[in-house]
Amino acid sequence: MNNEDIIKAAGRIMARSGAVGLTVDALHQEPELAENELLKEINNENEIFELMLRHLERELKYRVNAISAQSEPPEKEISHLFNNLYDLFKQNPWYPHLIFDPEVSARCTKAGEIIFRVKRVAKNYLVGLVKQPQQKNIHAPPGGSRQVSRRHRKRLPDERWQANGTGKME
């Protein structure tokens, strides 16, 4: 048994009951953790949340580094990142609770600091990707940024096409 088992059990509790439901006692109730020696070292909820948040941080850094190592064009890297994040959150449905539930910050002294680092990793990576075309002196396509692809359009009730947010007919 390892920390992964504790994190997955804690995650299941959070997915069921939110951050409020995650306690040391609740973790001890999980059948697969009955013989876990590591669990005996966890004394309070602060330590559980910190363990989970650090796992999220490592997971995000690993995925960002793996995508960035592929050296794809920025638009492909962004696509890979968001697909990868979708899979990450699908596999770990408790991650949004960790990031957005105010109860986590109230019960974990390092939550704000770790969440800030997680957001910074994502932001720095995305800002780097957005700046890449500018650094390579790549210019906008003919017609400028006003061109809207078919997949970014929506149908109006009378079946006319309209670009999202512009209010102009095309």
Side-chain angles (χ1 to χ4, degrees):
M1 295 241 162
N2 57 30
N3 283 345
E4 289 285 323
D5 298 321
I6 295 171
I7 291 165
K8 289 192 183 300
R12 281 194 309 276
I13 293 168
M14 281 187 72
R16 272 192 319 260
S17 310
V20 171
L22 182 55
T23 63
V24 173
D25 290 337
L27 263 181
H28 283 285
Q29 303 293 324
E30 293 295 303
E32 74 275 16
L33 297 180
E35 301 297 319
N36 192 322
E37 292 298 317
L38 292 173
L39 186 57
K40 294 175 183 171
E41 296 177 21
I42 294 178
N43 299 313
N44 56 51
E45 287 80 21
N46 181 61
E47 293 173 1
I48 299 168
F49 288 118
E50 189 174 332
L51 180 68
M52 294 175 78
L53 285 162
R54 289 186 188 281
H55 184 265
L56 167 62
E57 181 180 23
R58 279 190 308 276
E59 189 72 31
L60 180 66
K61 283 180 181 178
Y62 170 79
R63 288 171 185 252
V64 164
N65 289 336
I67 292 166
S68 136
Q70 294 174 2
S71 299
E72 302 250 16
E75 59 277 0
K76 284 192 178 195
E77 280 194 39
I78 289 173
S79 178
H80 288 304
L81 175 67
F82 284 104
N83 288 332
N84 215 297
L85 290 176
Y86 174 77
D87 289 340
L88 178 67
F89 283 96
K90 191 174 179 182
Q91 294 166 5
N92 304 284
W94 56 87
Y95 279 171
H97 292 279
L98 280 174
I99 298 168
F100 301 112
D101 190 332
E103 185 70 21
V104 174
S105 294
R107 294 171 60 197
C108 179
T109 56
K110 294 190 178 180
E113 173 188 330
I114 296 169
I115 291 169
F116 175 78
R117 289 195 312 254
V118 166
K119 289 178 180 178
R120 187 177 59 211
V121 166
K123 179 183 175 187
N124 288 346
Y125 178 69
L126 289 170
V127 166
L129 286 177
V130 168
K131 287 185 175 182
Q132 240 178 26
Q134 296 167 355
Q135 292 168 350
K136 292 180 180 178
N137 202 18
I138 297 173
H139 301 287
S145 62
R146 288 201 166 273
Q147 283 188 332
V148 179
S149 71
R150 289 192 147 246
R151 69 180 184 168
H152 292 103
R153 296 178 188 186
K154 63 181 178 183
R155 286 248 183 209
L156 292 175
D158 62 33
E159 300 299 307
R160 293 176 293 172
W161 286 100
Q162 178 182 19
N164 284 334
T166 64
K168 295 181 182 177
M169 294 291 295
E170 289 202 17

